[in-house]
Amino acid sequence: MRNRYGNEVRGLAFVSPWLLGFLVLTLYPILATLYFSFTEYRVLTPPRWVGLRNYQDLFTDHDYFLPSLYNTIFMFLELPVATLLSVGIAILLNQKLRGMAFFRTLFYLPSVVPTVASAILWLWLLNPEYGLVNRTLDLLRLPRSEWLQSPLWSKPAFIVMDLWMVGGGIVIYLAALQGVPQHLQEAAELDGASAWKRMWSVTIPAISPVIFYNLVLGVIGTFQYFTPAFLMTGNPPGGPANSTLFYGLYLFQNAFAYFRMGYACAMAWVLFVLTLLASWVVFRSSARWVYYEGER
Amino acid sequence: MWSGEEEQAFRRVLERYQQLHPNVSIKNLGAIRDDTKAIRAIVAGAPPDLFTLSDPLYLGAIAAQGGLEPLDELFAQSGLRKEDFVRGSLSQASFRGKLYAMPFLVDAYALFWNKTLFREAGLDPERPPQTLEELRSAAIRLTKRDASGNLKQLGIAPVSNRSFYAGDIPLVMHLFAGELTAANEPKVTPDSSRNLRAFEWSAGLIEAMGGYTKVNAFAAGFGQPQGGDNPFFKGKLAMMINGQWNPYWAETYAPGLDYGVAPLPYPSDTPERRNATWLGGNFFCIPTGAPNRKEAWKLLAWMQTEEAQVLFADTMHGVPNIRSVLRNKKLRTGEPWRYHYGKFFDLVENGVPGHFPPLPVSALYNNSLLDAYDMVLDGKKPASQALKHVRERVQNELDRYP
């Protein structure tokens, strides 16, 4: 008996720090939030069971909850733009030219800037009065925008700022591009395929698993959009006119400013389900456009 | 809760207390701006003996949940008298008839006006606006634009602005003698006719100075309030509603600034609001279950002595919350800025103070008002509808508190 399970016990003993940490510090809190989402929980007093009330409140709140969901979904516009941009830049950076290492560093640099520092930097770049962005628009004789101060332009302003930080994605695409089989490229070239055709029929299919990976991460990240809005939209955050009150931001306010922890937990579970659904859609679609080597 | 120079000021106060009471040991955790830290400590069963509430809007919520020790008994035993306190300083710390916190200085708001810019605009530099009607016409005259229509100078700082803090919309409601709660029942009244007037007046002024987006864009270019880039010190703002800490900063960062401090203007048909001011401040609370509540209280009681008040006010530039200290010569005479600083003392002593009522839902209420004001300025909702929505949202939440 002892010999039979000895290995398992030893194995479990060795992974037990992680196992314990996972059960106590991750799984238990997650399940607790599920319970709290059916309660009125104000943190200092014990939770009180209210059934589905929090969920009912959420979906009838036309002033805050639904706009915050809309604001977050708006940010999904960023995903296709960021994907096109980072794949495009990665392809350019993959050319065999002198001094390419310099450009690669240059494009990656913004992603190593701490979020708070880049937030402050962009507050000034986007400043309607003195910002470089508006100054540049003036020089090009294009109309200026009030950016973060305008309910119409505040979300696009965040998209512009995020596009500056696509360096992380570029590096991953660059690595994938280096792995595109050279013999396929050469074969296509010998068959007379143009550079354009080679890109669409060889390069893009070869890196499609990486595009898929970045897309899934992008979907999850967009649903959790929080930090830039928290840092850059003044006090209390979310303005002007709630145009940057993203889902995560409103969840945070409920939990930590309004003593509505039960409500915030319900929001977290709705977010979890939405993220799950969206990821499922991306996964389902992947059969159509993601190519794995070894597949037929 | 404070940092930098202000934290040093608080440390000096604590050091003095320890000199006087060598048997007491105080550990100041300092620079905690996050009230949820104290709340987490209370929940975790390890409350501090004493903590500062950096946002008074949280007082009601914590007190309603039994997180704070009521202080009335200790107050009575220590021989303090309510009538010695500045009006509003204790009501701001009270909830459902019980005292849950002690003030240590208060903040007060008044009107600042730039005499040089008044002169340039052809206004009498020695006569600040008395009524809100005068304020409005002066603000419009003092607003300047460049050739392409962008603002170059704003008549008055917008209230409830997310970039530059110059009072919130409830302050304007106070000027219109609007109440945020009903007198005898637990009802919120943001959409009363007086509050609606305050909302519309305030939104109308922003409209008249260039509109929501233009004013916001201009305010986004304002620098830090504590520094040489403060827009009032730089002459970008002709007037602002702001606190008693400004005169010291003005002398430090803009020594030549020619300005004055006046009571907040009132609507001409509401003369009972002549000499109005608005209070804010930081409060000290003893959490339920604090291990040394008696010792904590002794420190709070000592903070009300003239010595402690003068010591702290002299470096913090707050307004003493003990009436007799308001006449203290040391605080009010000497350097030129103290003349303006003293104006706040008079206003607090003889004026009509208002403050946000402590409710379990104060933070939600205040933010909802701010959001509603934004919606009105952005043209998304008419004021009456926006305020009605605030009432429904906040009342709904208030009704859920036991």
Side-chain angles (χ1 to χ4, degrees):
Chain A
M1 217 47 179
R2 224 172 137 210
N3 280 343
R4 228 162 122 194
Y5 293 110
N7 265 344
E8 277 89 340
V9 170
R10 253 183 306 234
L12 282 174
F14 273 112
V15 296
S16 65
W18 181 87
L19 220 54
L20 217 75
F22 173 74
L23 291 176
V24 176
L25 299 174
T26 307
L27 191 66
Y28 166 70
I30 288 176
L31 293 178
T33 61
L34 183 62
Y35 167 68
F36 290 147
S37 77
F38 296 105
T39 67
E40 184 183 277
Y41 182 35
R42 301 200 181 278
V43 185
L44 279 169
T45 40
R48 191 168 62 82
W49 186 265
V50 292
L52 286 170
R53 192 186 78 190
N54 288 330
Y55 292 94
Q56 280 164 358
D57 282 359
L58 282 181
F59 288 100
T60 50
D61 179 1
H62 296 275
D63 274 344
Y64 289 88
F65 174 77
L66 295 172
S68 78
L69 188 58
Y70 162 77
N71 288 338
T72 301
I73 288 172
F74 186 96
M75 296 305 280
F76 276 95
L77 283 179
E78 185 182 321
L79 279 184
V81 185
T83 306
L84 278 177
L85 192 73
S86 43
V87 171
I89 295 175
I91 288 174
L92 291 178
L93 291 178
N94 196 34
Q95 306 305 310
K96 290 182 182 61
L97 293 174
R98 274 170 61 92
M100 197 47 92
F102 170 74
F103 289 103
R104 286 177 185 170
T105 313
L106 200 67
F107 278 97
Y108 187 63
L109 214 55
S111 5
V112 294
V113 177
T115 317
V116 177
S118 64
I120 291 168
L121 174 71
W122 275 89
L123 270 180
W124 282 107
L125 288 175
L126 292 170
N127 186 289
E129 289 279 302
Y130 315 103
L132 267 181
V133 174
N134 268 359
R135 289 278 159 105
T136 312
L137 289 174
D138 282 352
L139 278 179
L140 300 170
R141 299 191 185 280
L142 289 167
R144 336 175 107 214
S145 162
E146 269 82 20
W147 299 114
L148 290 168
Q149 308 306 322
S150 142
L152 191 65
W153 283 96
S154 53
K155 285 185 286 285
F158 280 121
I159 294 182
V160 169
M161 175 183 128
D162 292 340
L163 290 178
W164 176 72
M165 295 188 281
V166 291
I170 294 178
V171 168
I172 297 173
Y173 287 125
L174 200 55
L177 286 169
Q178 314 254 304
V180 175
Q182 210 51 46
H183 64 271
L184 290 181
Q185 297 280 23
E186 279 165 15
E189 207 175 341
L190 285 174
D191 287 345
S194 65
W196 186 249
K197 182 85 186 156
R198 281 202 308 276
M199 188 176 89
W200 277 111
S201 303
V202 179
T203 312
I204 299 291
I207 65 166
S208 63
V210 176
I211 297 179
F212 171 67
Y213 163 81
N214 272 342
L215 199 62
V216 172
L217 286 191
V219 166
I220 297 170
T222 305
F223 270 120
Q224 296 175 349
Y225 205 82
F226 176 81
T227 318
F230 183 70
L231 292 171
M232 295 170 68
T233 57
N235 183 33
N242 283 348
S243 62
T244 60
L245 185 74
F246 294 110
Y247 198 103
L249 201 53
Y250 186 48
L251 192 158
F252 177 87
Q253 285 185 352
N254 278 308
F256 299 107
Y258 303 151
F259 295 90
R260 299 203 286 198
M261 193 57 90
Y263 192 79
C265 289
M267 279 189 79
W269 276 89
V270 170
L271 185 67
F272 175 65
V273 171
L274 288 174
T275 310
L276 211 61
L277 277 177
S279 311
W280 179 76
V281 169
V282 178
F283 266 92
R284 278 304 295 259
S285 78
S286 70
R288 293 168 176 275
W289 60 273
V290 178
Y291 170 81
Y292 289 104
E293 232 175 319
E295 265 181 285
R296 200 183 64 82
Chain B
M1 149 160 101
W2 297 281
S3 51
E5 205 178 311
E6 297 184 337
E7 160 133 41
Q8 292 306 316
F10 187 58
R11 277 185 192 285
R12 269 196 292 279
V13 171
L14 292 183
E15 276 162 21
R16 177 67 188 140
Y17 185 73
Q18 279 181 303
Q19 261 176 23
L20 296 171
H21 303 82
N23 53 335
V24 177
S25 105
I26 304 172
K27 200 169 152 207
N28 176 33
L29 295 177
I32 298 177
R33 259 167 211 286
D34 180 5
D35 286 328
T36 64
K37 248 182 201 168
I39 294 165
R40 284 200 297 272
I42 298 170
V43 176
D49 287 324
L50 194 63
F51 71 97
T52 47
L53 203 57
S54 69
D55 193 342
L57 294 176
Y58 286 138
L59 183 99
I62 307 175
Q65 297 187 66
L68 300 178
E69 197 77 49
L71 304 173
D72 304 84
E73 230 172 84
L74 292 164
F75 188 94
Q77 283 166 10
S78 61
L80 293 173
R81 294 184 314 166
K82 291 203 165 157
E83 55 271 29
D84 293 338
F85 283 71
V86 160
R87 261 174 309 148
S89 62
L90 290 180
S91 58
Q92 231 183 331
S94 303
F95 176 68
R96 290 183 187 152
K98 282 187 184 158
L99 184 67
Y100 282 104
M102 283 299 275
F104 190 23
L105 311 184
V106 290
D107 291 333
Y109 289 81
L111 180 74
F112 289 75
W113 85 98
N114 183 320
K115 293 185 179 175
T116 313
L117 299 182
F118 265 57
R119 220 170 278 128
E120 279 172 16
L123 293 159
D124 180 355
E126 297 310 322
R127 193 179 175 286
Q130 314 285 312
T131 64
L132 287 178
E133 289 80 0
E134 287 175 20
L135 177 82
R136 183 187 152 99
S137 59
I140 294 170
R141 254 177 100 165
L142 288 157
T143 299
K144 290 185 187 159
R145 292 174 188 78
D146 66 9
S148 49
N150 291 311
L151 288 164
K152 287 291 128 201
Q153 178 184 313
L154 200 58
I156 184 164
V159 297
S160 279
N161 186 275
R162 294 180 204 249
S163 312
F164 180 76
Y165 185 74
D168 274 324
I169 192 77
L171 177 153
V172 185
M173 291 173 161
H174 170 63
L175 301 180
F176 279 84
E179 298 292 340
L180 289 168
T181 51
N184 302 317
E185 45 179 354
K187 294 270 182 251
V188 292
T189 55
D191 54 346
S192 72
S193 60
R194 285 169 184 272
N195 287 337
L196 179 63
R197 264 186 74 198
F199 231 61
E200 282 171 342
W201 180 84
S202 203
L205 180 57
I206 298 294
E207 209 49 57
M209 290 194 302
Y212 179 53
T213 310
K214 287 263 182 254
V215 170
N216 264 357
F218 188 63
F222 291 170
Q224 288 297 314
Q226 185 170 8
D229 285 334
N230 180 311
F232 183 73
F233 302 164
K234 281 190 93 174
K236 286 180 169 184
L237 281 173
M239 295 182 279
M240 66 171 182
I241 291 172
N242 227 309
Q244 80 288 336
W245 51 86
N246 282 281
Y248 171 74
W249 292 358
E251 188 151 309
T252 310
Y253 301 113
L257 189 71
D258 189 12
Y259 72 101
V261 171
L264 297 174
Y266 55 96
S268 54
D269 63 355
T270 317
E272 68 265 32
R273 283 297 192 257
R274 188 193 294 265
N275 255 335
T277 183
W278 184 255
L279 301 182
N282 313 119
F283 292 90
F284 288 74
C285 309
I286 302 180
T288 310
N292 302 304
R293 67 189 259 280
K294 286 251 160 67
E295 293 303 323
W297 170 260
K298 277 186 196 151
L299 173 60
L300 293 187
W302 178 75
M303 285 173 177
Q304 314 306 327
T305 61
E306 176 139 8
E307 183 194 357
Q309 295 255 318
V310 172
L311 183 64
F312 199 37
D314 201 35
T315 33
M316 276 296 284
H317 316 116
V319 177
N321 60 284
I322 297 295
R323 292 182 82 104
S324 57
V325 187
L326 293 171
R327 269 156 265 145
N328 182 289
K329 284 272 185 318
K330 180 173 185 277
L331 291 175
R332 308 189 47 156
T333 48
E335 298 105 310
W337 64 270
R338 290 184 187 269
Y339 166 77
H340 299 298
Y341 177 51
K343 290 255 174 179
F344 287 89
F345 292 26
D346 297 335
L347 204 50
V348 162
E349 187 166 19
N350 307 314
V352 184
H355 60 77
F356 205 96
L359 300 167
V361 292
S362 293
L364 180 78
Y365 197 176
N366 191 52
N367 282 3
S368 301
L369 284 171
L370 195 157
D371 293 335
Y373 185 55
D374 255 11
M375 293 288 167
V376 171
L377 288 171
D378 192 33
K380 290 232 169 66
K381 282 182 192 174
S384 57
Q385 196 195 355
L387 286 172
K388 185 174 153 265
H389 287 168
V390 172
R391 174 167 56 75
E392 289 164 357
R393 183 181 196 220
V394 177
Q395 188 66 50
N396 188 32
E397 184 69 5
L398 184 62
D399 290 343
R400 287 175 178 175
Y401 272 87

